[in-house]
Amino acid sequence: MATTNDLKNGLVLNLDNQLWQVLEFQHVKPGKGPAFVRTKLKNVISGKIIDKTFNAGTKVETANVDRRDMQYLYHDGTDYVFMDAKDYDQVNISAELVGDAANYMLENQDLQISFHEGTPLSVELPPSVELTITHTEPGLQGDRSTGGSKPATLETGYEIQVPLFLEEGVKVKVDTRSGDYLGRVK
């Protein structure tokens, strides 16, 4: 148990037998009336985001979430197989739980997986990854200016928009939260 004064970003709460991660919180002390805490919570399982207000000092139940460094090994049918770097335990995680993270995962890549009582909750990638372009249309001589973009397929099979001057075999940095092209890797 904790109070609303102990809230911080990333903390996982157990509300109504559901796990909610704190995305944002703000302590508010209005000029008139009691203080309260305004929060933005994300359901760990479904991804639904809600706004919830607590009275200041209210007790909330926290969930014990274990974040472990894991290595992505391979895709096995409908599951993705990960290995714990410390004890070499392997864990199968469903494609539904991995979600969009699969677009940016390469074999032997390190990432974090959150567990609650032994059950995997989420796969957390770094904010950006470096991937190689495996297919894109060739750029033309006049395509060196800014402003234009074209589709490019990455080594994971995911397609993003890149500037016109990029060619196959170029390594690019990609934002894992939005899928945006961030720049070339030298």
Side-chain angles (χ1 to χ4, degrees):
M1 293 296 275
T3 66
T4 54
N5 297 331
D6 300 326
L7 292 181
K8 59 184 177 194
N9 291 345
L11 184 69
V12 178
L13 306 175
N14 189 352
L15 303 174
D16 303 325
N17 292 326
Q18 291 186 342
L19 298 177
W20 298 88
Q21 182 175 18
V22 177
L23 298 178
E24 296 174 13
F25 70 98
Q26 179 181 21
H27 291 274
V28 180
K29 176 76 172 106
K32 196 175 198 180
F36 60 92
V37 179
R38 187 179 297 136
T39 63
K40 185 177 279 191
L41 304 173
K42 177 182 177 184
N43 188 305
V44 175
I45 305 298
S46 69
K48 179 181 176 182
I49 296 176
I50 63 167
D51 293 321
K52 187 160 178 72
T53 304
F54 299 96
N55 290 331
T58 303
K59 292 198 179 294
V60 290
E61 185 180 346
T62 58
N64 185 14
V65 174
D66 179 29
R67 286 184 172 84
R68 297 182 0 200
D69 291 327
M70 306 282 281
Q71 184 179 54
Y72 169 57
L73 295 179
Y74 57 90
H75 181 75
D76 180 26
T78 59
D79 291 344
Y80 291 85
V81 181
F82 297 88
M83 179 182 67
D84 190 324
K86 292 180 183 159
D87 59 12
Y88 305 110
D89 280 346
Q90 291 188 9
V91 177
N92 287 18
I93 298 180
S94 69
E96 294 83 32
L97 187 61
V98 172
D100 290 338
N103 298 330
Y104 309 105
M105 292 187 326
L106 288 174
E107 291 181 0
N108 302 320
Q109 180 180 6
D110 293 325
L111 36 83
Q112 277 194 334
I113 299 180
S114 298
F115 290 89
H116 174 66
E117 297 177 354
T119 305
L121 298 176
S122 65
V123 175
E124 300 168 32
L125 291 168
S128 64
V129 292
E130 296 175 359
L131 298 169
T132 304
I133 297 174
T134 56
H135 177 72
T136 189
E137 297 299 321
L140 300 174
Q141 184 61 33
D143 288 344
R144 301 283 186 245
S145 65
T146 60
S149 64
K150 62 181 178 179
T153 304
L154 302 173
E155 58 190 308
T156 60
Y158 187 60
E159 190 173 280
I160 64 168
Q161 292 293 318
V162 298
L164 295 170
F165 61 85
L166 290 179
E167 300 171 351
E168 291 180 9
V170 174
K171 198 170 204 127
V172 295
K173 191 175 219 178
V174 181
D175 187 328
T176 58
R177 297 163 295 203
S178 63
D180 293 338
Y181 162 82
L182 297 176
R184 281 189 288 190
V185 177
K186 298 201 173 18

